[in-house]
């Protein structure tokens, strides 16, 4: 269960109306000498579902530009409008060519001989009105061919119109079917089954302060060449005094070491090491509670079924980053397989031993990090899971044979508790979840 930070100020979500405390920083970003002021809660640049909270206005020649790329426009519009366009294109083409056949029949005099004269040959047989011409247009373009109406050799113009309508009908079919297939197969919907944790956390990892968030794949089909990236977005004032409302700063998630490329079979925790090059280098726990920034996280890869590139996005406001927390384990080994429990995907637990100061202060003051050998919540879950598994296997006639491994695991559990330096207060806080 996620544990929220206790703060004497009321923090509201970005979708709500309200004010909160924030910090005005100097020109160089985060640092000392902060002035606390009240301001309206910032709006998200990227929503939790991945949609960008951006609205375009005052665009010159918008309609002409969208019509110039009509195929992409048809793919991007909503399904309701796509079905309207699909219906209108065919109905309008049938009406247009029906009108053309009706005009040809009218000019040739076919409408003056509705009963049919043996000495008179019409351009199109059995076309005595606009409705009959419209039905002949549908039969020609859709290649139904009931055999009741047909064009004759009397009018070359009618023959040309049949050929022209057949070509136009093929073009319309190709365009509309292609647009619908592209709309159905586009990888945008694949992002609905790619999951980001509700919160990001800051905690120690391998003796360094790190920002972490979790990603997961809800389908068994893989995301090929999956890789992640992140950007920090916050307002900034340049050295010349220019105000940039949404300054984008890249966050390193291991690109230089290849750690940004992941094998997303089970949920993975993405890690950003807060070092000298990190925009979070000077942020402490107290600064985080009043900071005004947003971290946009992006997961990209190719859909295994279609080989099309998909992109899933989410974001974390400063109020959604939990300082001194870790994610609960979701991957457990059971018998001959690994089980992923998504009920723990968004859950975190508090780690009181996490330093409250910034990574910059830790480096300058040479802060002593607690021993990495300390017993933690993940170790307890691993041993308990192993004990439960051995108890399940030890049922029936094979119960006696499995008593020895069970004792060994419990002895190992007790030995680790006795030999490793364990902070009893921290152990209670981490295990009482």
């Amino acid at each position: 269960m996620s544990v929220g930070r206790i703060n004497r100020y009321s923090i509201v979500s970005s979708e709500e109306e309200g004010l909160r405390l924030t910090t005005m920083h100097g020109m160089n970003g985060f640092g000392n000498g902060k002035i606390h002021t009240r301001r309206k809660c910032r709006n998200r640049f990227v929503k939790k579902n991945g949609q960008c909270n951006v609205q375009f206005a005052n665009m010159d020649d918008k309609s002409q530009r969208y019509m110039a790329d009509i195929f992409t426009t048809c793919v991007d519009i909503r399904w309701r409008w796509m079905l309207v366009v699909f219906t209108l294109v065919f109905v309008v083409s049938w009406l247009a060519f029906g009108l053309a056949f009706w005009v040809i029949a009218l000019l040739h005099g076919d409408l003056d001989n509705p009963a049919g004269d043996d000495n008179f040959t019409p351009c199109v047989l059995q076309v005595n009105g606009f409705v009959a011409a419209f039905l002949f247009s549908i039969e020609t373009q859709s290649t139904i061919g009931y055999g009741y109406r047909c064009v004759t050799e009397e009018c070359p113009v009618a023959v040309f119109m049949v050929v022209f309508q057949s070509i136009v009908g093929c073009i319309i079919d190709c365009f509309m079917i292609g647009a619908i297939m592209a709309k159905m197969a586009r990888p945008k919907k694949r992002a609905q089954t790619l999951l980001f944790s509700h919160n990001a956390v800051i905690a120690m990892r391998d003796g360094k302060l790190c920002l972490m968030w979790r990603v997961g794949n809800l389908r068994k089909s893989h995301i090929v060449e999956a890789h992640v990236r992140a950007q920090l977005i916050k307002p900034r004032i340049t050295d010349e005094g220019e105000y940039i409302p949404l300054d984008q700063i890249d966050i390193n998630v291991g690109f230089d070491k290849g750690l940004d490329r992941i094998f997303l079979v089970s949920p993975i925790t993405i890690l950003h090491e807060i070092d000298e090059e990190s925009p979070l280098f000077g942020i402490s726990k107290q600064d985080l509670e009043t900071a005004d920034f947003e971290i946009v996280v992006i997961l990209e890869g190719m859909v295994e079924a279609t080989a099309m590139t998909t992109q899933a996005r989410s974001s974390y406001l400063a109020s959604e980053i939990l300082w001194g927390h870790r994610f609960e384990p979701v991957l457990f080994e059971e018998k001959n397989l690994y089980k992923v429990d998504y009920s723990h995907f968004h859950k975190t637990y508090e780690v009181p031993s996490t330093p409250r100061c910034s990574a910059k202060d830790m480096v300058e003051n040479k802060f002593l990090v607690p021993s990495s050998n300390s017993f933690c919540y993940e170790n307890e879950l691993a041993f308990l899971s192993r004990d439960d598994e051995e108890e399940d296997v030890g049922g029936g006639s094979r119960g006696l044979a499995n008593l020895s491994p069970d004792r060994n695991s419990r002895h190992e559990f007790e030995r680790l508790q006795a030999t490793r330096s364990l902070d009893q207060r921290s152990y209670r806080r981490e295990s009482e979840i």
Side-chain angles (χ1 to χ4, degrees), residues 41-324:
C41 183
R42 67 171 290 119
N43 294 319
R44 285 185 180 275
F45 185 62
V46 176
K47 298 180 181 179
K48 277 294 188 180
N49 59 3
Q51 295 181 354
C52 296
N53 190 22
V54 178
Q55 182 179 3
F56 300 105
N58 302 324
M59 296 176 57
D60 296 334
D61 302 329
K62 178 181 178 180
S63 300
Q64 292 83 345
R65 294 177 184 273
Y66 275 62
M67 292 301 295
D69 189 11
I70 186 63
F71 186 83
T72 304
T73 302
C74 290
V75 173
D76 289 341
I77 61 176
R78 295 181 179 273
W79 272 108
R80 63 173 75 95
W81 299 115
M82 184 64 185
L83 294 178
V84 171
V85 172
F86 181 86
T87 304
L88 286 178
V89 166
F90 282 100
V91 172
V92 169
S93 64
W94 294 337
L95 288 172
F97 284 102
L99 179 62
F101 285 117
W102 179 77
V103 171
I104 292 174
L106 179 63
L107 296 177
H108 189 260
D110 296 352
L111 304 182
D112 298 332
N113 296 276
D117 188 357
D118 295 339
N119 297 326
F120 180 80
T121 303
C123 290
V124 182
L125 296 177
Q126 303 300 327
V127 174
N128 302 319
F130 178 75
V131 176
F134 176 70
L135 294 175
F136 176 72
S137 174
I138 296 177
E139 295 177 19
T140 301
Q141 186 167 332
S142 59
T143 66
I144 294 177
Y146 290 116
Y148 186 68
R149 301 178 181 87
C150 63
V151 68
T152 64
E153 300 176 357
E154 182 68 18
C155 299
V157 177
V159 176
F160 171 78
M161 290 302 298
V162 170
V163 175
F164 184 65
Q165 185 177 9
S166 300
I167 296 174
V168 172
C170 291
I171 295 175
I172 293 176
D173 291 342
C174 292
F175 180 87
M176 297 308 301
I177 294 175
I180 291 177
M181 289 298 298
K183 189 173 182 65
M184 294 176 61
R186 61 179 179 170
K188 183 178 180 180
K189 295 300 181 182
R190 182 62 175 88
Q192 302 298 323
T193 52
L194 297 175
L195 199 61
F196 290 92
S197 57
H198 291 161
N199 297 94
V201 299
I202 293 180
M204 300 300 297
R205 174 70 68 89
D206 295 330
K208 298 179 181 179
L209 200 62
C210 298
L211 170 71
M212 294 170 282
W213 65 92
R214 181 177 275 171
V215 296
N217 181 14
L218 299 181
R219 289 187 181 272
K220 289 187 176 180
S221 59
H222 298 171
I223 297 296
V224 183
E225 292 291 334
H227 57 279
V228 294
R229 53 193 178 95
Q231 287 186 333
L232 185 140
I233 299 177
K234 68 181 183 71
R236 184 174 71 91
I237 300 178
T238 64
D239 296 338
E240 294 77 18
E242 179 186 2
Y243 177 73
I244 302 176
L246 295 174
D247 186 34
Q248 301 183 13
I249 305 174
D250 188 63
I251 293 180
N252 186 12
V253 290
F255 176 77
D256 51 345
K257 300 179 181 179
L259 300 178
D260 62 321
R261 299 192 174 273
I262 58 177
F263 183 46
L264 193 59
V265 177
S266 62
I268 294 179
T269 300
I270 308 301
L271 184 143
H272 162 64
E273 181 181 327
I274 304 178
D275 53 13
E276 291 82 355
E277 298 179 356
S278 172
L280 303 176
F281 186 59
I283 289 288
S284 64
K285 185 178 186 298
Q286 183 179 2
D287 297 333
L288 183 64
E289 295 174 353
T290 58
D292 179 25
F293 64 83
E294 178 180 358
I295 295 179
V296 178
V297 293
I298 302 172
L299 171 62
E300 293 178 329
M302 292 188 298
V303 180
E304 188 178 33
T306 61
M308 301 177 69
T309 303
T310 184
Q311 183 183 91
R313 298 179 295 268
S314 187
S315 69
Y316 302 102
L317 298 177
S319 59
E320 296 171 339
I321 301 176
L322 305 179
W323 189 286

